[in-house]
Amino acid sequence: MSDNKTELNIIPRKQRSKRLLALDAARGLAVVGMFVQHFALNQINSFVSGNTMILFILCSGISYSIMSQSMKEHGIEPTTFRSRVLARSVFIDFVGYLILMLNGPFGMVLSAYAMLFILSLALVHYSARTLIILSGVLFLVSPPLMLIGLSLFADTALLGDIAGGPLSALAWAPVFIAGMAIGKMDLYKFKTAIKFVVTGLTILIPFKLIAIFLLPGLRQKFENWLVQFPAYENPPMVDQYAIWPLNTQPIQWQMLFLDSPQSGAAFELLIGLGGTLILLGLLLLIENKLKVVLRPFAAAGRVALTLYVAQFVLVWGTTLIGVDITSIDIGAIPFGDIMVVLFTLLIGWLLAKLPNGPLESAIRRFEGLFYKK
């Protein structure tokens, strides 16, 4: 009999060298949720708005730490890891700007995502405890700082990607760093999965209640106080040709009290983080017993970058032939949202049959140009 210090493992030790199916499934759920949000949103599934990106960013932070630790365990030089991260960031940033060129109707976060990869190079050696503390601090300071950045850097490229508003790296940093902390934990243990569920509930319930019952009143009081200042009650005309910072807009402090998708507000991020922790914990708990349930989503998760970009290409391509797919209310069609889910899973499953997804293969080849294997 094992001693009382031995913990029950979710995944048998002999299988630990394999990819975590639950992590791939979580990433796949995030991408499927994006397709639903962009093509078949309705009142029933409105909870996916914004939360899908929070889940995607959290999974990215987890993978970031796992990749760093794996390379360290295999004796690979830290310079190789840094080279891979920098190469990956350049590739993702380039793809992001190509997507911007298509002028699609959705917010694009790949450039901010690339900046997160670079900025987090300074954090890979920190412990999980330190990363949790840093993440908690950023949940407080990132929202006001990204609003300042939205005012100062709105019309810039690189600085805007780093700190220019709700879709910048600074706005997503609390979630990404929380993911980095999770990636340093033993995700194979039953106790770890339970901790995620309990922690998620502890975060989700109080902040959701505050957002429902207190936040609207606080926002109204703050806005009433804010309009006492002439710059906000009667904002001056901004000359876009004036020298910086005379060409910047007033800081939108009222956005701190929002709980809306991709607002970058602390309440949105904390509520989303609580929900994603619960989901991740549940996926880890069922991985060893119900793999068949996770596999379709895990397949989509393994080609997440390709599927993410496919949304923009799909809208661009159909618009070129005269079909505005975003104007079709698929969510209002009976089972329309389910059809979008099944379509996304089918495409993900077909792409996963390849050795790697198209963009996943391209990024691996691009990384290989910058380090010796």
Side-chain angles (χ1 to χ4, degrees), residues 217-233 251 253-254 256-257:
L218 290 173
R219 182 170 63 247
Q220 186 62 53
K221 289 180 180 179
F222 182 79
E223 290 176 351
N224 291 340
W225 173 79
L226 199 61
V227 295
Q228 298 178 27
F229 300 92
Y232 286 91
E233 185 176 15
I251 301 172
W253 294 115
Q254 65 273 18
L256 293 173
F257 296 89

Short mmCIF file of all heavy atoms in Angstrom, two decimals, residues 217-233 251 253-254 256-257:
data_model
loop_
_atom_site.label_atom_id
_atom_site.label_comp_id
_atom_site.label_asym_id
_atom_site.label_seq_id
_atom_site.Cartn_x
_atom_site.Cartn_y
_atom_site.Cartn_z
N GLY A 217 -24.11 50.28 -10.44
CA GLY A 217 -24.26 51.46 -9.60
C GLY A 217 -22.95 52.20 -9.43
O GLY A 217 -22.90 53.44 -9.46
N LEU A 218 -21.86 51.44 -9.23
CA LEU A 218 -20.55 52.07 -9.09
C LEU A 218 -20.14 52.79 -10.37
O LEU A 218 -19.59 53.90 -10.31
CB LEU A 218 -19.50 51.00 -8.75
CG LEU A 218 -19.59 50.38 -7.36
CD1 LEU A 218 -18.59 49.22 -7.24
CD2 LEU A 218 -19.31 51.42 -6.29
N ARG A 219 -20.43 52.19 -11.51
CA ARG A 219 -20.09 52.83 -12.77
C ARG A 219 -20.87 54.13 -12.95
O ARG A 219 -20.32 55.14 -13.39
CB ARG A 219 -20.38 51.88 -13.93
CG ARG A 219 -20.00 52.48 -15.28
CD ARG A 219 -20.06 51.46 -16.41
NE ARG A 219 -21.40 50.95 -16.62
CZ ARG A 219 -21.79 49.70 -16.37
NH1 ARG A 219 -20.92 48.83 -15.90
NH2 ARG A 219 -23.02 49.33 -16.61
N GLN A 220 -22.17 54.12 -12.59
CA GLN A 220 -22.98 55.31 -12.73
C GLN A 220 -22.48 56.43 -11.83
O GLN A 220 -22.38 57.60 -12.24
CB GLN A 220 -24.45 54.99 -12.41
CG GLN A 220 -25.40 56.15 -12.67
CD GLN A 220 -25.42 56.55 -14.14
OE1 GLN A 220 -25.63 55.71 -15.01
NE2 GLN A 220 -25.18 57.82 -14.42
N LYS A 221 -22.15 56.10 -10.59
CA LYS A 221 -21.62 57.11 -9.66
C LYS A 221 -20.30 57.67 -10.16
O LYS A 221 -20.04 58.88 -10.07
CB LYS A 221 -21.45 56.50 -8.27
CG LYS A 221 -22.75 56.20 -7.56
CD LYS A 221 -22.50 55.60 -6.19
CE LYS A 221 -23.82 55.29 -5.48
NZ LYS A 221 -23.60 54.69 -4.14
N PHE A 222 -19.45 56.79 -10.69
CA PHE A 222 -18.16 57.25 -11.18
C PHE A 222 -18.34 58.16 -12.38
O PHE A 222 -17.66 59.20 -12.49
CB PHE A 222 -17.28 56.04 -11.55
CG PHE A 222 -15.92 56.42 -12.03
CD1 PHE A 222 -14.93 56.77 -11.12
CD2 PHE A 222 -15.61 56.44 -13.38
CE1 PHE A 222 -13.65 57.12 -11.55
CE2 PHE A 222 -14.35 56.79 -13.83
CZ PHE A 222 -13.37 57.14 -12.91
N GLU A 223 -19.23 57.81 -13.29
CA GLU A 223 -19.46 58.64 -14.48
C GLU A 223 -20.06 59.99 -14.09
O GLU A 223 -19.72 61.02 -14.68
CB GLU A 223 -20.37 57.91 -15.45
CG GLU A 223 -19.71 56.71 -16.13
CD GLU A 223 -20.65 55.94 -17.02
OE1 GLU A 223 -21.87 56.23 -16.99
OE2 GLU A 223 -20.18 55.05 -17.76
N ASN A 224 -20.94 60.01 -13.07
CA ASN A 224 -21.51 61.27 -12.60
C ASN A 224 -20.42 62.17 -12.02
O ASN A 224 -20.46 63.39 -12.17
CB ASN A 224 -22.58 61.01 -11.54
CG ASN A 224 -23.82 60.37 -12.14
OD1 ASN A 224 -24.06 60.44 -13.35
ND2 ASN A 224 -24.60 59.71 -11.30
N TRP A 225 -19.46 61.55 -11.33
CA TRP A 225 -18.34 62.32 -10.77
C TRP A 225 -17.41 62.79 -11.88
O TRP A 225 -16.89 63.91 -11.86
CB TRP A 225 -17.59 61.45 -9.78
CG TRP A 225 -16.32 62.08 -9.25
CD1 TRP A 225 -16.21 63.02 -8.28
CD2 TRP A 225 -14.99 61.80 -9.71
NE1 TRP A 225 -14.89 63.36 -8.09
CE2 TRP A 225 -14.12 62.62 -8.96
CE3 TRP A 225 -14.46 60.95 -10.67
CZ2 TRP A 225 -12.74 62.61 -9.14
CZ3 TRP A 225 -13.09 60.93 -10.86
CH2 TRP A 225 -12.24 61.75 -10.11
N LEU A 226 -17.23 61.95 -12.89
CA LEU A 226 -16.27 62.24 -13.95
C LEU A 226 -16.71 63.43 -14.80
O LEU A 226 -15.87 64.22 -15.25
CB LEU A 226 -16.10 61.00 -14.83
CG LEU A 226 -14.85 60.91 -15.70
CD1 LEU A 226 -13.59 60.92 -14.84
CD2 LEU A 226 -14.88 59.63 -16.55
N VAL A 227 -18.03 63.56 -15.02
CA VAL A 227 -18.49 64.64 -15.90
C VAL A 227 -18.36 66.01 -15.26
O VAL A 227 -18.62 67.03 -15.91
CB VAL A 227 -19.96 64.41 -16.32
CG1 VAL A 227 -20.09 63.16 -17.16
CG2 VAL A 227 -20.89 64.35 -15.11
N GLN A 228 -17.95 66.06 -13.99
CA GLN A 228 -17.70 67.36 -13.37
C GLN A 228 -16.48 68.05 -13.99
O GLN A 228 -16.33 69.26 -13.89
CB GLN A 228 -17.46 67.19 -11.87
CG GLN A 228 -18.64 66.62 -11.11
CD GLN A 228 -18.32 66.43 -9.64
OE1 GLN A 228 -17.48 67.12 -9.08
NE2 GLN A 228 -18.99 65.48 -9.01
N PHE A 229 -15.63 67.25 -14.63
CA PHE A 229 -14.44 67.80 -15.23
C PHE A 229 -14.74 68.20 -16.68
O PHE A 229 -15.27 67.40 -17.45
CB PHE A 229 -13.30 66.78 -15.19
CG PHE A 229 -12.93 66.36 -13.80
CD1 PHE A 229 -13.53 65.24 -13.22
CD2 PHE A 229 -12.02 67.08 -13.06
CE1 PHE A 229 -13.20 64.85 -11.94
CE2 PHE A 229 -11.68 66.70 -11.78
CZ PHE A 229 -12.27 65.59 -11.21
N PRO A 230 -14.42 69.44 -17.06
CA PRO A 230 -14.76 69.93 -18.40
C PRO A 230 -14.22 69.05 -19.53
O PRO A 230 -14.88 68.87 -20.56
CB PRO A 230 -14.10 71.31 -18.43
CG PRO A 230 -14.00 71.72 -17.00
CD PRO A 230 -13.78 70.45 -16.23
N ALA A 231 -13.04 68.46 -19.33
CA ALA A 231 -12.45 67.65 -20.40
C ALA A 231 -13.28 66.43 -20.72
O ALA A 231 -13.19 65.88 -21.83
CB ALA A 231 -11.04 67.23 -20.01
N TYR A 232 -14.12 65.99 -19.79
CA TYR A 232 -14.95 64.80 -20.01
C TYR A 232 -16.39 65.17 -20.34
O TYR A 232 -17.05 64.48 -21.10
CB TYR A 232 -14.90 63.89 -18.79
CG TYR A 232 -13.58 63.15 -18.68
CD1 TYR A 232 -12.52 63.69 -17.97
CD2 TYR A 232 -13.40 61.94 -19.34
CE1 TYR A 232 -11.30 63.03 -17.91
CE2 TYR A 232 -12.19 61.27 -19.28
CZ TYR A 232 -11.14 61.82 -18.55
OH TYR A 232 -9.94 61.16 -18.50
N GLU A 233 -16.89 66.25 -19.76
CA GLU A 233 -18.26 66.66 -20.06
C GLU A 233 -18.34 67.24 -21.47
O GLU A 233 -19.27 66.93 -22.23
CB GLU A 233 -18.74 67.69 -19.04
CG GLU A 233 -20.20 68.06 -19.23
CD GLU A 233 -20.68 69.00 -18.16
OE1 GLU A 233 -19.84 69.59 -17.46
OE2 GLU A 233 -21.90 69.16 -18.02
N ILE A 251 -8.34 59.90 -21.53
CA ILE A 251 -8.35 58.53 -21.02
C ILE A 251 -9.77 58.15 -20.60
O ILE A 251 -10.41 58.89 -19.84
CB ILE A 251 -7.38 58.40 -19.83
CG1 ILE A 251 -5.96 58.78 -20.27
CG2 ILE A 251 -7.39 56.98 -19.27
CD1 ILE A 251 -4.97 58.87 -19.13
N TRP A 253 -11.55 56.46 -18.35
CA TRP A 253 -11.49 55.79 -17.05
C TRP A 253 -12.74 54.99 -16.74
O TRP A 253 -12.69 54.02 -15.97
CB TRP A 253 -11.24 56.80 -15.94
CG TRP A 253 -9.91 57.48 -15.99
CD1 TRP A 253 -9.66 58.80 -16.20
CD2 TRP A 253 -8.62 56.86 -15.82
NE1 TRP A 253 -8.32 59.06 -16.18
CE2 TRP A 253 -7.64 57.87 -15.94
CE3 TRP A 253 -8.20 55.55 -15.59
CZ2 TRP A 253 -6.28 57.62 -15.84
CZ3 TRP A 253 -6.85 55.29 -15.48
CH2 TRP A 253 -5.90 56.31 -15.60
N GLN A 254 -13.88 55.35 -17.28
CA GLN A 254 -15.12 54.64 -17.00
C GLN A 254 -15.07 53.18 -17.45
O GLN A 254 -15.84 52.33 -16.98
CB GLN A 254 -16.32 55.34 -17.65
CG GLN A 254 -16.33 55.36 -19.15
CD GLN A 254 -15.57 56.56 -19.73
OE1 GLN A 254 -14.77 57.18 -19.04
NE2 GLN A 254 -15.85 56.89 -20.98
N LEU A 256 -13.00 51.07 -16.64
CA LEU A 256 -12.57 50.24 -15.52
C LEU A 256 -13.75 49.53 -14.87
O LEU A 256 -13.57 48.51 -14.19
CB LEU A 256 -11.84 51.08 -14.48
CG LEU A 256 -10.50 51.68 -14.88
CD1 LEU A 256 -9.99 52.62 -13.79
CD2 LEU A 256 -9.48 50.58 -15.15
N PHE A 257 -14.94 50.06 -15.06
CA PHE A 257 -16.12 49.51 -14.39
C PHE A 257 -16.99 48.69 -15.34
O PHE A 257 -18.17 48.46 -15.07
CB PHE A 257 -16.95 50.65 -13.78
CG PHE A 257 -16.23 51.41 -12.70
CD1 PHE A 257 -15.44 52.51 -13.02
CD2 PHE A 257 -16.31 51.02 -11.38
CE1 PHE A 257 -14.76 53.21 -12.03
CE2 PHE A 257 -15.64 51.70 -10.39
CZ PHE A 257 -14.86 52.80 -10.72
#
